[in-house]
Amino acid sequence: MVVTRHVIVVGAGIVGVSAAGALARAGVRVTVLERDHGEPRGSTAFAPGFLGLYNESSILTDLARASSAIYAAAKAGYTRTGGLELALSAAGAVEVERRVDAASATGLASGLLRTAELPEPVATLIRTGDIVAAGYFADDGSVDAQILTRSLRIDAVGAGATFLAGQQVMHVERRASQIVVGVASGAVFEADDIVLAGGVWGPSLSHLTGLELPLFPVAHPYVYSPRRPQFRAGPFLRWPERHVYARVHHDRLGIGSYDHPPVAVGQADLSGGAGLQWAGGFTEVIDSAQQLLSERARFVPERRINGVFAMTPDNLPFLGPHLAMDGVWIAQALWATHAAGAATVLVAAMTEDAELPAELTVDRFDGDGAGELSTRALRLYRDIYASGTG
């Protein structure tokens, strides 16, 4: 009798769904345990959907390129829109030009545009007179994270993956050759391996395995305009000097900002999911960000999102095996930008003994104090869009 390897994936956001699909296509029996019933409440549900390929970290560039190729093959949810980085000063222009040159050196399509060359949908949204330089990254894309995740999930189910909703994981242990997982309902699951892809709940999940993973959830403001027929989709916009970004979602304009002190979020604050109540202080942050828009594009937000995502002390994800518990694999702190590529790399390591990126090892901060790691992670918050993490 042939015994098929069984893997449990915890989390059904874009990371978990991508891992489930890759595992199922590799001939593995996959069971995905979802925390919630109904609509998802993790970070994927609130992602603004910018997929920027170039990153100062070469491994993140590689993972983004791989993810882009996978998303492009999906049935829905991804569009290669291109991305624009807009400089507001001479110093900012030097940095944009440097990033354009660096992206070109990796083989990505990128170049500088004059203000008069900006795509028309963009020119109507922004204060073009403030722009000193514009870098255009033609290979960048935009995703509707929920639609894309549903599409990837359909593919995973078609490949044989099983999804079980309402299964909040409460207990993980190794018994002989099996991983045993207990959930809040009292049900128990057994598998050969488990992939922890719980997003903002990663610290709690990792703790169940004896691993104190330095993941630090933070709150982040993003708002949507009312529907306006004059808004037309175009490249994703970033103003790195101001830590602001924007895009058109069909006929709504969305804008977000990192230009504020980081707001740490505890695990106890996430019982209702990764969408928190709007914080009053975020209103000023968004009002300031809207000053970068043309007067006719500014709006009173129809929908306000206080979304949560997890930071790490080096702005890199965790991808690889738990070194103290065989059969436990970690896929955490991954944006939609890198999710599918990272899942493919992880599954190759699980099924083919392929090498994993040394920069992303789970134990790379061992020996560092928790307070120091938290400080380092939060210090990087405002640099996310300046560095192209996306």
Side-chain angles (χ1 to χ4, degrees):
M1 181 180 70
V2 176
V3 178
T4 302
R5 182 177 180 183
H6 181 209
V7 176
I8 288 173
V9 176
V10 180
I14 195 165
V15 179
V17 167
S18 295
L23 284 163
R25 288 188 292 272
V28 176
R29 183 164 70 93
V30 186
T31 302
V32 181
L33 302 181
E34 301 182 68
R35 179 185 177 95
D36 299 315
H37 288 284
E39 289 298 313
R41 298 186 299 162
S43 295
T44 300
F46 305 100
F50 171 49
L51 202 160
L53 300 192
Y54 176 71
N55 193 283
E56 306 293 339
S57 164
S58 59
I59 183 58
L60 290 188
T61 299
D62 291 343
L63 294 179
R65 293 174 98 151
S67 296
S68 177
I70 292 168
Y71 301 155
K75 296 180 179 64
Y78 169 80
T79 306
R80 182 187 275 186
T81 56
L84 280 166
E85 294 188 4
L86 305 172
L88 303 170
S89 69
V94 170
E95 177 62 11
V96 165
E97 184 173 356
R98 184 194 68 78
R99 283 178 52 80
V100 164
D101 290 344
S104 295
T106 70
L108 294 170
S110 58
L112 295 173
L113 297 181
R114 296 189 301 273
T115 303
E117 297 173 321
L118 293 173
E120 191 275 333
V122 168
T124 63
L125 297 178
I126 66 176
R127 291 173 50 166
T128 55
D130 294 341
I131 305 305
V132 176
Y136 181 56
F137 300 82
D139 294 324
D140 288 355
S142 297
V143 303
D144 184 318
Q146 293 194 61
I147 291 174
L148 177 60
T149 300
R150 285 196 289 270
S151 179
L152 295 172
R153 177 171 176 153
I154 289 169
D155 290 343
V157 170
T162 298
F163 287 75
L164 301 177
Q167 306 295 332
Q168 182 177 353
V169 173
M170 306 298 291
H171 177 77
V172 179
E173 68 173 302
R174 181 85 186 180
R175 293 182 191 168
S177 63
Q178 292 286 287
I179 295 291
V180 179
V181 181
V183 299
S185 66
V188 176
F189 301 87
E190 294 187 2
D192 300 289
D193 302 271
I194 185 171
V195 176
L196 301 182
V200 293
W201 294 284
S204 295
L205 285 172
S206 299
H207 180 75
L208 297 177
T209 70
L211 175 64
E212 301 304 322
L213 200 62
L215 283 172
F216 304 98
V218 293
H220 175 68
Y222 192 82
V223 300
Y224 293 84
S225 76
R227 295 183 184 278
R228 289 187 183 176
Q230 68 267 34
F231 288 154
R232 293 189 291 111
F236 201 109
L237 304 174
R238 297 200 295 125
W239 293 263
E241 295 162 278
R242 291 285 301 275
H243 313 282
V244 172
Y245 63 104
R247 66 168 287 201
V248 172
H249 304 259
H250 307 293
D251 56 358
R252 299 179 188 272
L253 178 58
I255 189 167
S257 175
Y258 292 85
D259 198 17
H260 63 91
V263 180
V265 176
Q267 293 291 281
D269 300 319
L270 295 169
S271 59
L276 305 182
Q277 183 175 356
W278 182 254
F282 282 163
T283 298
E284 279 187 14
V285 174
I286 293 298
D287 288 346
S288 176
Q290 287 210 51
Q291 298 308 303
L292 296 169
L293 302 175
S294 65
E295 289 190 15
R296 57 183 170 175
R298 295 173 196 168
F299 58 89
V300 176
E302 184 171 272
R303 183 186 180 202
R304 295 175 172 88
I305 301 295
N306 180 0
V308 181
F309 62 88
M311 300 282 300
T312 69
D314 58 4
N315 266 350
L316 295 176
F318 292 106
L319 191 71
H322 186 315
L323 299 183
M325 186 180 289
D326 289 344
V328 177
W329 301 80
I330 309 294
Q332 290 286 171
L334 284 156
W335 297 66
T337 304
H338 312 110
T344 301
V345 169
L346 183 69
V347 170
M350 295 175 67
T351 60
E352 303 170 15
D353 291 325
E355 188 173 349
L356 284 161
E359 306 97 315
L360 310 184
T361 55
V362 173
D363 65 336
R364 64 184 183 271
F365 298 112
D366 282 5
D368 295 342
E372 175 195 353
L373 292 172
S374 174
T375 299
R376 284 159 57 184
L378 296 180
R379 190 183 296 133
L380 293 171
Y381 173 79
R382 294 178 76 246
D383 292 333
I384 285 177
Y385 269 80
S387 64
T389 299

